[in-house]
Amino acid sequence: MHKENTGDAPSAHTPRVRHHRKRNTDVVAGAGKPNGSHLLVNDSSKYKSFLVRAYSTVWMIGGFALIVYLGHLYITAMVVVIQIFMARELFNLLRKTHEDKQLPGFRLLNWHFFFTAMLFVYGRILSQRLVNTVTPDKVLYRLVTSLIKYHMAICYSLYISGFVWFILTLKKKMYKYQFSQYAWTHMILIVVFTQSSFTVANIFEGIFWFLLPASLIVINDIFAYICGFFFGRTPLIKLSPKKTWEGFIGASITTMISAFLLADIMGRFLWLTCPREDLSTGWLQCDPGPLFKQETHALPGWISNWLPWKEIYVLPVQWHALCLGLFASIIAPFGGFFASGFKRAFKVKDFGDSIPGHGGITDRMDCQMVMAVFAYIYHQSFVVPESLSVDKLLDQIITNLTLEEQQALFMKLGQVLQEKVIGS
Amino acid sequence: MEKDLNQNSPRIRKIRDNSYPPNTPTSRMNNNNQRDNHPNSPRDYNYSPSSPTARLRWRNRSNEIPAEVKRGNASNVRNLLLGDKNKYRSMWIRTCSSLWMLGGVFFIIYMGHLYIWAMVVGIQIFMAKELFFLLRRAHEERRLPGFRLLNWHFFFTAMLFVYGRILQQQLVNTVSSDRFIYKLVSGLIKYQMVICYFLYIAGFMWFILTLKKKMYKYQFGQYAWTHMILIVVFTQSSFTVANIFEGIFWFLLPAALIAMNDVAAYFFGFYFGKTPLIKLSPKKTWEGFIGASVATTISAFLFANVLGQFQWLTCPRKDLSTGWLHCDPGPLFRPEYYPLPTWIASFSPWKAISILPVQWHAFSLGLFASVIAPFGGFFASGFKRAFKIKDFGDSIPGHGGFTDRMDCQMVMAIFAYIYIQSFIVHQDYSVEMILDHISRSLGHEEQKMLYAKLGDILRHKLQGGF
């Protein structure tokens, strides 16, 4: 009986564990053919491609680890580069070369919208940090704060000029193609930028909040494959015929356990847990906050009888990690299903061919996208204690008053509060 | 003029088709085609039925007459009277519905911010319904069970998300009195993003679980179009609502300018129109465009003066009450007096003119309304040609659907919101004002929190500098 549970071959892995999983995929794919006699033949010719894949995987992992070591700014740069490649793949996907020849400048329009979206999204996320970086320099500070104040207006004018340009270049008999491309461009930009902007926002809250979700997705894929390989029997969904219920459930349990453990390991490094307040690249020192301080829980009597430890140390963040793990195992795979369905719908084998041995970058990032958005929303709602009006006012103060005015406000507010305390 | 009583003559049939019922898309398309057939006659400047707003329906009445004149000129004048008689009825219908709409709008403005908001939401629901229906009509034979429900699920999620964000502040201010409800509401607001996200993810998963073999492409296309529709409809309506709560002035002025631009463009094109403007809308002319721009900017200046005198229109609404508003409208709406130069002052009775500073802002709004907002109309025309649709719907008798009326308004609403947020709202910040704002809107605990956070930021900045 051929049990196969490969994670969808063109989807959802990050570079980290490319080598042994893909190798196994190929072996199983060979085994999946109805004649087992092909196995050896396939194996011998597959080793070469395994080597190629393993090689590229090792390089990707090494590069990724190096970038995490280098810091927030470099990770952001990596995210931006990945985003550019994804956008390029997706733009090219539904383009028809015949029509495109008759529309010079249409590709440029796509990149114009891309640039506008990049300015808008990263301007919003990084504006506070940019301001913090240039605070010492008077001239730059003034320039940056005024740019931020008119940020929305600038992005809007860019968008409107793209809109007007689009309308002025509408050609008779090509209306439908052009409108479809326009809609498609918007959808691509929304998909690509939502998740990458949330990823970058997570990074600046602390590399932990970027690394943990990404690792969980990878672990989920690996264990889904392994569990499916050993126990897989009942198919899961028609969209991806190689996935099984056993793989799914086994992976869920394993992911949650490993979320708990990974959070413990990662939470001990200040480099990963401290937020970055500006755009510098130096080492970080901070007080990571109550989430990352160990709490001791005494084990209940009946467990402590047979274990040498009397109590366990738990970082409060590990409970949050459990939720992230739950989401990563149950809902994030739907990102992979969506991508599979999409490729079937538009009869595309892979989104691109940037990575040798795998598909394009979008193939790798589909589950990651869903996870990044969830991680951001979870973080903003449950991890960060937030008070809306205070933050909004603080934003207004920072963007609209000069440093001297802010200090004057600070002193006056202090006086007012003291008077209230004394008076009440 | 004899009446041609032969009911079967093509001309009579065409005229009859054009008159009854007056609101089918085909009749209007015929009119347009016929006008296109006479390139040598003086062009009448007429926006295709997609852009005029509800406000000035009598314009269409004038549109019909030139068409009749041209057709009459082409062959003979005998049928003019008969055509006119049939046309008057449809014009009458249009005028009636326009007057009703105009009256309704005025009434709602009188009632206040909350009712205007409800009207905007109502228009939005109708627009979404039209566009969703449009999408479905194109592929009627492949309708999937439950897909309509999915569209409305996403619509509801978007509504919750968008209005939740806008109303956060207003809601908190409204229910501050009761501690329990305050806690409930602020809890809901805090988790609003999570709630909306989970609703969206539920819809996403539902979509994936209902994918049917061999219908993947159709379903994905529908999914994408649903997103585009919701984005288009909700962006502009949410910005409109945000404008309304800044002050009805900021909703009324842009809408009026769009209407003004349409009317003026029609008249200038009618009298002076010669050079065609753009291939997408063959009936527009450069003369109409330029004349309308001038007229719109001038009337923007004047409208702002007229509208800015009413406190009901200029005061922002801080909570969700419906009572009368009293406020200090701010420096933008206080008249400044400029003495007229002596050579004018000698022959006019006024010695100084009073200008509200907001009138200068109205210039920019007028400029945008005349130059860029018509592109919304071009976009809608192009879209309808691309997908071979006559009109977006037929909700309004005598005109198309809601989307046909709202296309230019949408572009304008977004611009107005961004303009207000960038150039108007932040103009008058001072330390005293912010201090006052803090003491008014934050509780004691929150003030202390703000104080601590501000202290952290300032300390960090000062340390960073040395």
Side-chain angles (χ1 to χ4, degrees):
Chain A
M1 197 179 328
H2 306 292
K3 294 173 218 164
E4 300 165 358
N5 182 32
T6 63
D8 239 4
S11 80
H13 323 97
T14 52
R16 208 176 295 262
V17 279
R18 191 62 48 235
H19 50 289
H20 61 267
R21 193 151 91 70
K22 273 301 174 189
R23 199 191 319 149
N24 285 341
T25 305
D26 276 339
V27 168
V28 173
K33 294 212 177 79
N35 287 339
S37 61
H38 286 265
L39 206 59
L40 202 59
V41 173
N42 289 333
D43 267 355
S44 62
S45 60
K46 287 258 180 278
Y47 275 132
K48 194 177 212 181
S49 59
F50 293 161
L51 227 55
V52 169
R53 281 195 186 187
Y55 200 61
S56 63
T57 309
V58 168
W59 269 108
M60 279 195 282
I61 293 178
F64 188 72
L66 175 69
I67 288 179
V68 169
Y69 174 76
L70 282 180
H72 305 75
L73 221 49
Y74 291 88
I75 302 180
T76 306
M78 176 186 84
V79 167
V80 169
V81 165
I82 288 180
Q83 182 184 310
I84 293 178
F85 276 105
M86 268 178 75
R88 201 164 70 147
E89 275 175 19
L90 292 169
F91 282 154
N92 285 337
L93 200 62
L94 289 191
R95 181 178 299 153
K96 295 186 192 142
T97 37
H98 171 69
E99 276 89 339
D100 239 27
K101 283 196 200 100
Q102 308 179 16
L103 292 165
F106 207 68
R107 282 177 78 167
L108 196 53
L109 189 66
N110 283 346
W111 290 108
H112 172 89
F113 283 123
F114 181 87
F115 172 71
T116 306
M118 173 119 50
L119 200 66
F120 176 66
V121 149
Y122 289 119
R124 281 175 75 102
I125 292 182
L126 297 180
S127 58
Q128 190 51 46
R129 273 129 185 137
L130 193 59
V131 169
N132 286 346
T133 312
V134 300
T135 305
D137 187 336
K138 276 296 176 207
V139 170
L140 222 50
Y141 179 78
R142 220 173 289 250
L143 179 67
V144 165
T145 37
S146 61
L147 270 181
I148 287 175
K149 203 162 132 179
Y150 299 114
H151 165 253
M152 225 172 153
I154 294 173
C155 293
Y156 179 74
S157 343
L158 283 175
Y159 178 80
I160 279 288
S161 45
F163 177 74
V164 169
W165 177 3
F166 167 72
I167 290 181
L168 293 175
T169 59
L170 282 174
K171 262 197 172 70
K172 233 179 153 74
K173 306 213 184 304
M174 304 207 56
Y175 290 150
K176 188 164 185 177
Y177 175 71
Q178 287 181 287
F179 271 97
S180 308
Q181 288 285 309
Y182 188 74
W184 178 236
T185 301
H186 280 68
M187 289 303 292
I188 292 174
L189 290 178
I190 288 167
V191 164
V192 167
F193 273 96
T194 320
Q195 58 94 13
S196 72
S197 68
F198 285 173
T199 308
V200 170
N202 281 345
I203 291 171
F204 279 91
E205 292 290 337
I207 300 183
F208 178 88
W209 299 104
F210 159 73
L211 206 50
L212 184 66
S215 328
L216 289 179
I217 294 285
V218 174
I219 290 177
N220 189 55
D221 280 342
I222 298 174
F223 281 99
Y225 169 73
I226 291 178
C227 296
F229 183 69
F230 287 119
F231 311 115
R233 231 166 252 117
T234 2
L236 179 62
I237 190 173
K238 279 195 292 284
L239 269 176
S240 300
K242 294 191 288 321
K243 293 202 196 294
T244 59
W245 273 104
E246 291 82 7
F248 187 72
I249 294 178
S252 308
I253 299 174
T254 333
T255 307
M256 285 175 63
I257 296 177
S258 48
F260 197 75
L261 300 172
L262 263 186
D264 191 13
I265 299 172
M266 286 190 201
R268 296 176 195 274
F269 296 96
L270 271 188
W271 181 239
L272 299 181
T273 58
C274 288
R276 176 75 81 176
E277 296 297 345
D278 55 17
L279 298 178
S280 65
T281 52
W283 212 250
L284 276 179
Q285 296 293 329
C286 66
D287 170 22
L291 269 186
F292 294 97
K293 292 205 188 75
Q294 275 190 349
E295 290 175 2
T296 48
H297 295 273
L299 284 174
W302 55 276
I303 298 187
S304 58
N305 280 339
W306 0 294
L307 293 177
W309 310 288
K310 293 296 165 203
E311 41 188 26
I312 51 174
Y313 300 99
V314 172
L315 302 177
V317 77
Q318 291 181 262
W319 307 115
H320 289 295
L322 271 184
C323 298
L324 289 179
L326 193 63
F327 186 89
S329 49
I330 296 190
I331 305 202
F334 279 84
F337 299 154
F338 187 87
S340 305
F342 186 85
K343 283 187 287 194
R344 264 172 224 261
F346 293 94
K347 300 196 182 4
V348 171
K349 280 281 172 352
D350 273 322
F351 281 105
D353 51 11
S354 320
I355 310 181
H358 318 293
I361 298 207
T362 317
D363 293 301
R364 298 285 79 80
M365 297 294 288
D366 45 22
C367 287
Q368 296 280 2
M369 292 200 280
V370 179
M371 189 70 196
V373 174
F374 173 73
Y376 175 78
I377 291 181
Y378 184 85
H379 180 77
Q380 293 296 108
S381 306
F382 297 111
V383 174
V384 169
E386 192 169 303
S387 172
L388 291 158
S389 30
V390 170
D391 281 331
K392 229 169 92 165
L393 264 180
L394 208 56
D395 269 337
Q396 285 179 351
I397 294 174
I398 304 283
T399 49
N400 293 311
L401 298 179
T402 64
L403 200 56
E404 289 79 19
E405 288 177 331
Q406 290 172 18
Q407 287 171 323
L409 176 67
F410 182 69
M411 283 196 287
K412 286 197 184 165
L413 186 58
Q415 286 170 354
V416 167
L417 285 176
Q418 267 188 336
E419 280 164 18
K420 271 201 188 165
V421 167
I422 294 176
S424 62
Chain B
M1 289 189 224
E2 311 151 32
K3 295 183 196 169
D4 184 351
L5 294 173
N6 181 0
Q7 294 295 315
N8 291 328
S9 78
R11 177 161 303 280
I12 299 298
R13 217 178 309 132
K14 236 188 284 185
I15 293 173
R16 224 191 15 233
D17 284 344
N18 285 340
S19 315
Y20 304 106
N23 57 342
T24 52
T26 48
S27 65
R28 248 168 295 124
M29 208 57 184
N30 276 341
N31 270 345
N32 294 344
N33 288 338
Q34 281 158 1
R35 288 196 204 107
D36 289 342
N37 289 337
H38 302 276
N40 294 326
S41 50
R43 268 175 209 281
D44 65 322
Y45 185 75
N46 173 33
Y47 274 88
S48 58
S50 55
S51 35
T53 57
R55 221 172 282 263
L56 294 141
R57 203 49 53 227
W58 50 269
R59 186 158 74 69
N60 281 330
R61 194 196 325 152
S62 338
N63 288 344
E64 299 294 348
I65 296 180
E68 280 307 317
V69 168
K70 269 198 283 194
R71 254 182 284 140
N73 284 341
S75 57
N76 51 29
V77 201
R78 276 180 308 154
N79 301 309
L80 201 61
L81 198 60
L82 182 63
D84 271 358
K85 198 163 88 134
N86 286 336
K87 282 274 174 258
Y88 273 135
R89 188 181 276 178
S90 64
M91 274 174 234
W92 181 242
I93 293 178
R94 280 195 188 189
T95 320
C96 271
S97 60
S98 316
L99 287 176
W100 271 108
M101 281 194 278
L102 201 61
V105 169
F106 275 139
F107 176 68
I108 288 181
I109 288 181
Y110 175 76
M111 293 292 291
H113 304 75
L114 224 50
Y115 292 87
I116 301 180
W117 176 39
M119 175 184 83
V120 167
V121 170
I123 290 180
Q124 183 185 312
I125 293 178
F126 276 108
M127 271 178 72
K129 203 160 79 148
E130 270 174 25
L131 291 168
F132 283 154
F133 182 69
L134 199 64
L135 213 45
R136 254 181 330 138
R137 204 171 50 182
H139 299 272
E140 227 157 6
E141 70 279 6
R142 301 197 257 172
R143 212 178 305 180
L144 287 154
F147 211 77
R148 274 177 82 169
L149 198 51
L150 189 66
N151 283 345
W152 288 107
H153 172 89
F154 282 124
F155 180 87
F156 173 71
T157 306
M159 172 117 54
L160 205 65
F161 175 66
V162 150
Y163 290 123
R165 283 174 75 100
I166 292 179
L167 296 181
Q168 271 166 359
Q169 197 52 48
Q170 267 85 2
L171 216 52
V172 167
N173 283 343
T174 309
V175 299
S176 316
S177 42
D178 187 335
R179 281 320 279 182
F180 173 68
I181 296 189
Y182 179 74
K183 273 207 184 26
L184 179 68
V185 166
S186 43
L188 272 179
I189 287 174
K190 190 168 162 199
Y191 298 115
Q192 175 236 357
M193 222 172 157
V194 183
I195 295 174
C196 293
Y197 179 72
F198 274 108
L199 283 175
Y200 179 80
I201 282 286
F204 177 73
M205 287 170 61
W206 179 2
F207 167 72
I208 290 181
L209 293 173
T210 59
L211 282 175
K212 266 196 173 63
K213 231 178 153 74
K214 306 212 183 307
M215 302 202 59
Y216 290 150
K217 188 164 185 176
Y218 173 64
Q219 287 180 286
F220 272 97
Q222 290 281 306
Y223 189 74
W225 278 115
T226 301
H227 280 67
M228 289 301 294
I229 289 173
L230 289 177
I231 287 167
V232 165
V233 168
F234 274 95
T235 322
Q236 57 94 13
S237 71
S238 69
F239 286 174
T240 308
V241 171
N243 284 346
I244 290 171
F245 281 98
E246 282 294 326
I248 300 183
F249 178 88
W250 300 108
F251 158 72
L252 203 50
L253 183 66
L257 288 180
I258 294 283
M260 184 74 212
N261 189 55
D262 281 342
V263 174
Y266 170 72
F267 273 119
F268 278 98
F270 182 67
Y271 286 116
F272 308 115
K274 262 178 210 71
T275 1
L277 178 63
I278 191 174
K279 279 194 291 284
L280 268 178
S281 299
K283 294 183 294 316
K284 296 197 199 299
T285 59
W286 273 104
E287 290 83 6
F289 186 73
I290 295 177
S293 309
V294 171
T296 308
T297 34
I298 293 176
S299 50
F301 197 74
L302 300 173
F303 270 174
N305 195 354
V306 168
L307 293 177
Q309 320 235 352
F310 298 96
Q311 270 205 346
W312 181 240
L313 300 180
T314 60
C315 290
R317 173 77 80 179
K318 294 280 178 220
D319 54 20
L320 296 178
S321 64
T322 51
W324 212 249
L325 275 178
H326 294 287
C327 65
D328 172 21
L332 270 185
F333 293 98
R334 287 194 209 103
E336 291 176 3
Y337 293 94
Y338 296 92
L340 286 172
T342 41
W343 56 275
I344 300 187
S346 47
F347 49 83
S348 78
W350 309 286
K351 294 298 164 202
I353 49 172
S354 69
I355 294 188
L356 305 175
V358 77
Q359 289 181 259
W360 306 114
H361 288 294
F363 255 141
S364 326
L365 289 179
L367 200 59
F368 186 89
S370 48
V371 176
I372 311 256
F375 280 86
F378 300 155
F379 186 87
S381 304
F383 186 85
K384 285 189 285 192
R385 263 173 223 260
F387 294 96
K388 300 193 180 8
I389 305 168
K390 292 287 179 343
D391 270 320
F392 281 107
D394 51 11
S395 321
I396 311 181
H399 320 293
F402 276 96
T403 317
D404 292 301
R405 297 285 80 79
M406 298 293 288
D407 47 21
C408 288
Q409 296 277 5
M410 292 201 279
V411 178
M412 188 70 195
I414 298 177
F415 172 74
Y417 175 79
I418 291 181
Y419 186 84
I420 291 169
Q421 295 296 324
S422 304
F423 298 108
I424 292 181
V425 161
H426 296 310
Q427 270 195 352
D428 41 6
Y429 268 147
S430 64
V431 175
E432 287 76 24
M433 227 201 80
I434 292 192
L435 211 53
D436 177 53
H437 196 43
I438 290 176
S439 55
R440 255 190 305 123
S441 48
L442 293 184
H444 189 65
E445 289 302 320
E446 293 176 320
Q447 286 179 18
K448 286 207 276 204
M449 206 191 318
L450 179 67
Y451 183 71
K453 282 191 179 180
L454 187 58
D456 276 338
I457 290 179
L458 286 177
R459 216 170 304 130
H460 183 92
K461 283 191 180 168
L462 289 174
Q463 281 170 0
F466 300 110

